[in-house]
Amino acid sequence: MSSQVPNYCVRIEQGDGPLKEIVSSGERLVIGRSPPADLVIDDPDVSAIHCEIARETDDFVLRDLGSAHGTWVSGVRVREVVLAAEAHFEIGNARLSFGQIGDAASAEHLAALIETPFKVAKGRIVSAFEREYLTAIMAKHGGNITAAAHAAGLDRVHFLRLLDRYGLRKTRSSRPPPKTA
């Protein structure tokens, strides 16, 4: 794929940097604490050159580049993993999202959906929306459940149930192990 149309986006959902997101069609995107990283994250627990997203044939691979504190997907430290069309990962104290953009991802997604009954497909779409919405609103409110629930127009108990349904409520046992200096 050598199309110059941007076909993936990496966004800082939680954390800071000069840019909050980068849209690219490049073969490789480097993420780290300082230039020459393409996406810079202001966090002392992020290595100068921490990880990369690389296009390999039809897949995008998230690869740790020997960072001190690791690259985490769903609470598991990874060296290299093929990313889904939409994915979240953590480096240092930052939470990032990856998403494919464009016709290829949409066509692949639609092809998978039409192979399932309508109610199942609808449930998957609603679940994906709810998960993304909850992730974004929690990030916007710095993890404050009460503030996020209020902003979402939901009572706190219902909001907590939704967080639990998608495994988004941070508990002591679900957090990555503490980092040592």
Side-chain angles (χ1 to χ4, degrees):
M1 295 179 121
S2 59
S3 169
Q4 291 304 310
V5 176
N7 54 13
Y8 63 96
C9 174
V10 179
R11 176 178 297 132
I12 302 172
E13 300 290 346
Q14 182 178 337
D16 292 312
L19 299 173
K20 278 302 219 182
E21 73 177 21
I22 189 164
V23 177
S24 179
S25 61
E27 294 296 314
R28 181 175 188 241
L29 179 99
V30 176
I31 304 167
R33 188 181 62 243
S34 57
D38 301 303
L39 183 61
V40 175
I41 300 174
D42 298 328
D43 182 338
D45 289 336
V46 172
S47 295
I49 302 297
H50 196 102
C51 63
E52 71 176 0
I53 295 174
R55 183 191 318 268
E56 294 186 0
T57 317
D58 293 331
D59 294 322
F60 290 93
V61 175
L62 172 64
R63 184 176 294 118
D64 187 272
L65 298 174
S67 67
H69 297 293
T71 301
W72 299 79
V73 176
S74 300
V76 176
R77 189 172 184 164
V78 297
R79 286 177 147 183
E80 184 173 300
V81 65
V82 174
L83 293 170
E86 294 181 11
H88 290 90
F89 59 98
E90 295 85 29
I91 62 173
N93 296 305
R95 180 170 169 79
L96 296 95
S97 64
F98 165 85
Q100 291 184 29
I101 302 169
D103 294 338
S106 298
E108 180 182 308
H109 181 67
L110 183 58
L113 279 178
I114 61 173
E115 294 298 320
T116 60
F118 176 80
K119 285 184 177 181
V120 173
K122 179 181 174 187
R124 289 180 184 165
I125 291 169
V126 170
S127 292
F129 165 77
E130 286 179 344
R131 181 179 183 80
E132 193 67 26
Y133 180 86
L134 292 167
T135 300
I137 203 158
M138 285 294 289
K140 179 179 179 182
H141 293 281
N144 183 318
I145 293 171
T146 302
H150 179 74
L154 299 171
D155 66 83
R156 192 171 191 277
V157 171
H158 186 148
F159 194 79
L160 286 169
R161 285 184 187 139
L162 285 170
L163 291 176
D164 289 341
R165 178 185 301 163
Y166 297 106
L168 298 173
R169 185 169 16 165
K170 297 287 184 187
T171 61
R172 291 200 186 277
S173 62
S174 69
R175 292 185 184 141
K179 295 174 175 110
T180 56

